Amino acid sequence: MGGGPARVDAAHAVVALDPGPAAETPAVTPSHASSQPEIVPDPVAGAALIRAIREELPDLALLTEQVDRESYRQDETPYLHPGLPLAAALPATTAEVSALLRLASRHRVPVVPRGAGTGLSGGAAGIEGGLTIALTKMHRILEIDHANMVAVVQPGVINAELKRAVAAEGLFYGPDPASYEMCSIGGNLGTNAGGLCCVKYGQTRDWALSLEVVLADGTVIRTGGKNVKDVAGYGLTQLFVGSQGTLGIITEATVRLRPAPSPRSTLLAFFPTLEASGRAVSGMTAAGMQPVTLELLDRFTIAAVDDWHHLGLDRDAAAMLLIESDLPAAAASLELDRAVAACEAAGATLLVRAADAAEGDLLRQARRLAYQALERLGTVKMEDIGVPRSRVPDMLVVIEEICARYDVRVGTFGHAGDGNLHPNLVFARDDPRAEEVTEAVRAEMYRAALSMGGTLTAEHGIGLARRDFLELQRGAEVVAVMRAIKLALDPLNILNPGRVLPPERASATG
Ligand SMILES: Cc1cc2nc3c(=O)[nH]c(=O)nc-3n(C[C@H](O)[C@H](O)[C@H](O)COP(=O)(O)OP(=O)(O)OC[C@H]3O[C@@H](n4cnc5c(N)ncnc54)[C@H](O)[C@@H]3O)c2cc1C
C-alpha cells in the first residue's frame, strides 16, 4: 500500500473535459457514437462536482482532505502508480449512490467504485481528480432466507462476516478468497473473486442470483430476484459480476446459499519436483475427483510460510499440495484415500493427514497467509495465470524457467485444482530492476499461458494492471463487443474509465 507518483492513468489521459452546460445537460446523453469519449478530470469540473454533492447530499460522508484521499489512491497492487482522487464519498444508501453518479455524469467526472481495496489488479485504485465511491458504509446483511436458501446483502459486507452469519444458521456461502477476512462482497462481485474452494463450488458469479445496480446516469435497476431458475432476457447479473466497476455500481446482492458441509478433512502431500505435484493435480482431475481444496505451494513459499508460522513443513520438498474433503466422515476418508493414491502415482515423497479439523484449519490459514509470508521477504509482484488443468505441470516448469532466466526469486502458490497459479516475483525493496523485470517476466508468462489455452488472469481481473494485454488474449473482435457493451451502459465513460478496457488508441497486443 502507500502512495506513489500519479502517472499511470494520467499517461493515457486526454485532458478534454467540458464541464459545460452542467445543470441543464441530461445526466447521460444518449450516444450514437461508435466510440466513447475519453474522460479525464478537470479541476473546474471537479470543484463544481464537490459543490453540487455538498449541496444535494449534505449528510454524506465526503472526504476531501489530502491525507484521507491518499488512502484511496492504491489498492493492494503494489506496482501501479495510480492517481489521487479528488474526493472519496462514503454513501450509506442506494439513493446516495444514485445521486452521486447522476452528479458525476453531469459534471463528467470519472468515478471509481471501491470495496475494501484489497484488489490485485488496480481496479479500485484512484483516478487523478476522479471521485472514488467506497461502499464500506453499506455493510448490512439484510436477510438470510432459509426458505429460498439465499442471503440479501449490501456490498460492504465483509466476505468472512457473511460466511460466519450463515454458518451460525447451518448454511454455507461458498466464495472464499484468501483475503476473506478483509474483502467485501461488492468487491468479490466486482472481480468475480475465486478462492480456495472454487474447485468444488465455483467462483462468485456462480453464487450471484440477482443484483441491484446503479447505472452511470444514476438509474437504479434490479437484475433478478430469488428465483434459482430465471431466463427472462439477457443474463445481466452475470454480466455485471466481474465487470470491475466499469458498467455500474452494485448496491445490493442476492446470493445463493447451501446447507453447511461437514467439517473438512485435510491431507498434505510433498513432492520432489514441481512437475510431480502438477502431475498429481492433473491426475486427480482426470480421475474425476472433486476435493473442496486443491492448493499448491512451491519450495520458496513453503519456506516463507514455515519461517513465519513454524508448522514443521517439509522444506526439502519442491512442492506441497493441500488437499481437503468436506464430505461426511467416511466418504471424506475415501476421497482422501483416492488423493493419496493419485499423489503416490505422481511421485509424492511424504503424505500427512491433519489430526483433526482444528489442525486442518491451521494449515488452511497458513496457506491463506502465503502472500503475506512472501511480503515479509521484499516487494511482491503477484500474477494470476490460469491454464487448463492438464497443463498445470507444464506451466509450473515454464514459470521456473522464465524466472531463472531473469534471475528473479519466485514463490508460486495457488489454486492448482482450478489450474490457477500465482507466481509471485519477490524483489529486494530497493531493487532498481523490479519494474523492468516484472514487465518482461509477466509478458513471457502471459504468452506461455495463452499458448497452452490459458488465461492471463483467472480471478484477480484485468483492472489497470493487465489491460494492455486483454486483446492479446481475447482478440480484437471480442474486445470490440466489450467496448459496445460499455458504450451502451456508460456512454460518457464515467465508470472506472481505463480499467479492463484499455483506452482505444493505447490498445496493444502486449
Ligand atoms: C492477501 C490477499 C489474498 C487474496 N486472495 C484472493 C483469492 O484467493 N482469490 C481472489 O479472487 N482474490 C484474492 N485477492 C484479491 C482481492 O481480495 C479480491 O479481488 C477481492 O474480490 C477484492 O474485494 P475488495 O472488497 O477489496 O474490492 P476492491 O479491491 O475495493 O475492488 C475490486 C474491484 O471491484 C470493483 N468494485 C468494488 N465494489 C464494487 C461495487 N459495489 N460495485 C461494482 N464494482 C465494485 C472495484 O471498482 C474494483 O474494480 C487477494 C488479495 C489479497 C491482498
Side-chain angles (χ1 to χ4, degrees), residues 94 135 138 140 142-143 151-156 185-186 189 210-214 221-223 249-255:
T94 300
L135 284 303
M138 295 178 68
R140 285 193 303 131
L142 301 172
E143 188 183 4
V152 183
V153 299
Q154 292 188 316
I185 298 297
L189 291 160
S210 167
L211 303 174
E212 178 186 82
V213 181
V214 183
I221 63 166
R222 203 169 268 279
T223 62
I249 299 189
I250 298 162
T251 46
E252 191 183 294
T254 303
V255 297

Side-chain angles (χ1 to χ4, degrees), residues 75-154:
D75 62 4
E76 281 287 335
T77 321
Y79 52 90
L80 299 173
H81 306 283
L84 182 63
L86 160 82
L90 280 63
T93 63
T94 300
E96 285 184 347
V97 176
S98 168
L100 285 168
L101 282 184
R102 181 167 41 74
L103 293 173
S105 281
R106 181 180 296 169
H107 292 277
R108 313 290 203 265
V109 172
V111 164
V112 177
R114 183 173 172 113
T118 69
L120 290 167
S121 63
I127 290 181
E128 188 68 30
L131 176 70
T132 292
I133 300 182
L135 284 303
T136 41
K137 281 190 172 225
M138 295 178 68
H139 55 68
R140 285 193 303 131
I141 298 173
L142 301 172
E143 188 183 4
I144 297 174
D145 176 349
H146 281 258
N148 289 302
M149 295 295 275
V150 300
V152 183
V153 299
Q154 292 188 316

Side-chain angles (χ1 to χ4, degrees), residues 165-421:
V166 301
E169 303 198 17
L171 300 171
F172 175 65
Y173 174 68
D176 67 340
S179 52
Y180 79 135
E181 293 280 3
M182 306 181 277
C183 62
S184 70
I185 298 297
N188 294 170
L189 291 160
T191 54
N192 187 21
L196 277 71
C197 68
C198 297
V199 58
K200 181 163 183 175
Y201 293 116
Q203 281 176 261
T204 302
R205 183 175 283 135
D206 300 308
W207 293 73
L209 275 183
S210 167
L211 303 174
E212 178 186 82
V213 181
V214 183
L215 301 180
D217 66 351
T219 304
V220 182
I221 63 166
R222 203 169 268 279
T223 62
K226 292 181 177 176
N227 306 301
V228 290
K229 293 180 76 178
D230 180 351
V231 294
Y234 298 137
L236 295 185
T237 307
Q238 312 311 324
L239 174 65
F240 283 108
V241 176
S243 63
Q244 295 202 265
T246 61
L247 301 179
I249 299 189
I250 298 162
T251 46
E252 191 183 294
T254 303
V255 297
R256 286 171 191 267
L257 301 174
R258 295 171 61 116
S262 300
R264 296 184 186 186
S265 307
T266 305
L267 170 73
L268 295 187
F270 295 89
F271 296 85
T273 64
L274 267 175
E275 204 184 351
S277 67
R279 279 200 310 273
V281 171
S282 38
M284 283 184 258
T285 308
M289 292 178 54
Q290 218 181 16
V292 64
T293 313
L294 183 40
E295 294 286 311
L296 175 137
L297 276 70
D298 74 353
R299 186 197 311 270
F300 192 83
T301 314
I302 293 171
V305 168
D306 205 47
D307 282 342
W308 194 14
H309 296 285
H310 311 292
L311 296 166
L313 303 176
D314 178 3
R315 303 169 66 120
D316 293 330
M320 178 188 107
L321 291 180
L322 172 78
I323 306 161
E324 294 190 298
S325 174
D326 65 354
L327 296 175
S333 183
L334 282 178
E335 189 169 42
L336 291 190
D337 286 348
R338 291 182 72 200
V340 166
C343 291
E344 282 177 343
T349 45
L350 178 64
L351 291 142
V352 186
R353 289 193 197 218
D356 50 30
E359 191 175 285
D361 287 346
L362 191 70
L363 294 169
R364 194 178 326 107
Q365 193 56 17
R367 154 60 192 96
R368 287 187 194 282
L369 294 172
Y371 178 64
Q372 288 92 330
L374 293 173
E375 274 189 315
R376 296 167 79 230
L377 306 177
T379 303
V380 179
K381 317 239 174 175
M382 187 190 212
E383 284 304 332
D384 180 38
I385 303 292
V387 289
R389 288 169 286 186
S390 61
R391 302 305 301 270
V392 168
D394 304 324
M395 193 65 217
L396 287 168
V397 171
V398 170
I399 291 168
E400 284 229 306
E401 184 274 313
I402 295 172
C403 293
R405 205 156 19 83
Y406 283 92
D407 190 24
V408 56
R409 292 183 296 171
V410 62
T412 298
F413 60 82
H415 318 296
D418 303 313
N420 182 192
L421 302 171

